Amino acid sequence: MDSEKALELVKHGATLLFLDVPQHTLIGIDSQIFTVGPAFKGIKMIPPGIHFVFYTSSTRDGKEFSPTIGFFLDVAPSQVIVRKWNQQDEWLAKVPEEEEERYSLSVRNLEFDKHLGPYNLSQYGAWKHLSNYITKDVVEKYEPVGGEITVIYESAILNGRPKTEMERALDAQMKKSRFKTSSTEQPKGNRFYYTSVPRIIKHKGMSGKELTSMNLDKTQLLESVLSKEYKDSEDLLLGELQFSFVAFL
């Protein structure tokens, strides 16, 4: 890519400016990941639209990592988003509006350009294929309060009573993790707001054969949920499926 084209992409693409992030921290966007070095301060040339940003802090030797924290963003052309590392809680915090405006001006003046890693545009098509039904409305409807997505909060959701083998394994992992968060620090209600799907379909007067058939073939259930919860919008259903898959990964 020639310098003129690269400069155009820098100016028209969005920028994530990450300040004071410790070395060895892993920071990713969509399907791309960066290891923070001494000069790294963020990512540039990000195409407008929905993206998923995630990060995981590490020990000083870079051998042990905390559970991943992620969040969805809907970025506009030339937008600059600023986050500053909170050393005590090991997370990327928002900065005051006045401070963000000052840093945004510096980014647009290319003062941070040599410290910003470029978004790999060759991988953008794969991300769009994975997220083309995720919209701003979808994100706002299903994301947890505060927008942070992390397995750290799952132990709070279990209420100290893990039931399945996977829940027990997660509970044990969180208890021995050096990065664990105390229950008093975990936000209440930090959960997804996914659509509730009935596990069993029952209708008054149905025969046993009809009941079995309806619960094996979920077509009627799908049509009912699609009509009631999504107002017959298949795009919203696909958006929730894509959102949940990205959050799960």
Side-chain angles (χ1 to χ4, degrees):
M1 184 185 300
D2 60 56
S3 57
E4 187 175 335
K5 178 64 175 177
L7 181 59
E8 181 182 347
L9 290 171
V10 168
K11 288 183 175 180
H12 290 89
T15 300
L16 294 174
L17 182 65
F18 297 139
L19 302 170
D20 303 332
V21 181
Q23 290 191 57
H24 306 301
T25 302
L26 299 181
I27 291 182
I29 179 169
D30 305 338
S31 59
Q32 305 171 39
I33 193 163
F34 300 80
T35 300
V36 174
F40 181 88
K41 292 189 183 299
I43 305 165
K44 61 184 177 181
M45 299 165 58
I46 303 170
I50 295 291
H51 294 278
F52 187 72
V53 179
F54 55 96
Y55 59 94
T56 173
S57 59
S58 77
T59 52
R60 291 185 178 181
D61 57 9
K63 293 182 179 180
E64 185 181 353
F65 293 90
S66 69
T68 301
I69 298 174
F71 53 91
F72 284 92
L73 283 177
D74 181 23
V75 301
S78 304
Q79 183 179 4
V80 179
I81 297 170
V82 184
R83 296 286 189 273
K84 182 176 287 188
W85 188 257
N86 182 309
Q87 186 63 42
Q88 180 178 348
D89 297 326
E90 297 186 324
W91 70 296
L92 287 168
K94 295 180 179 180
V95 299
E97 186 175 339
E98 183 179 318
E99 190 175 347
E100 185 166 47
E101 289 179 0
R102 187 173 72 252
Y103 279 117
S104 296
L105 181 60
S106 297
V107 168
R108 295 189 177 101
N109 289 334
L110 305 180
E111 294 175 26
F112 287 97
D113 192 61
K114 65 180 181 180
H115 298 288
L116 302 173
Y119 185 99
N120 189 341
L121 295 173
S122 66
Q123 296 183 28
Y124 182 56
W127 167 248
K128 285 298 293 180
H129 185 69
L130 185 66
S131 63
N132 57 322
Y133 288 100
I134 303 176
T135 63
K136 182 179 180 181
D137 289 340
V138 166
V139 172
E140 291 178 348
K141 183 174 182 179
Y142 301 116
E143 70 178 351
V145 174
E148 283 192 345
I149 297 171
T150 173
V151 74
I152 295 173
Y153 302 137
E154 294 297 321
S155 56
I157 294 172
L158 297 178
N159 292 319
R161 298 187 298 275
K163 299 174 183 177
T164 68
E165 183 178 347
M166 290 301 295
E167 288 177 349
R168 286 191 289 271
L170 171 63
D171 189 55
Q173 181 185 10
M174 290 298 100
K175 285 179 179 177
K176 70 179 182 180
S177 172
R178 67 176 290 274
F179 298 96
K180 69 179 180 180
T181 307
S182 71
S183 58
T184 57
E185 294 172 331
Q186 292 168 339
K188 296 180 180 180
N190 197 290
R191 60 179 179 83
F192 297 105
Y193 294 90
Y194 292 136
T195 301
S196 178
V197 179
R199 299 185 62 139
I200 299 176
I201 312 171
K202 289 183 179 180
H203 290 308
K204 194 172 182 179
M206 291 181 65
S207 68
K209 183 178 180 181
E210 290 172 328
L211 183 62
T212 300
S213 176
M214 185 173 291
N215 282 281
L216 287 175
D217 180 357
K218 302 288 187 175
T219 302
Q220 186 172 332
L221 173 61
L222 173 61
E223 292 175 346
S224 174
V225 172
L226 190 62
S227 174
K228 181 181 177 181
E229 304 292 344
Y230 302 99
K231 310 303 180 187
D232 291 320
S233 172
E234 296 175 357
D235 286 1
L236 288 178
L237 169 61
L238 293 172
E240 182 176 356
L241 286 173
Q242 288 186 337
F243 175 98
S244 63
F245 182 68
V246 171
F248 171 75
L249 287 182

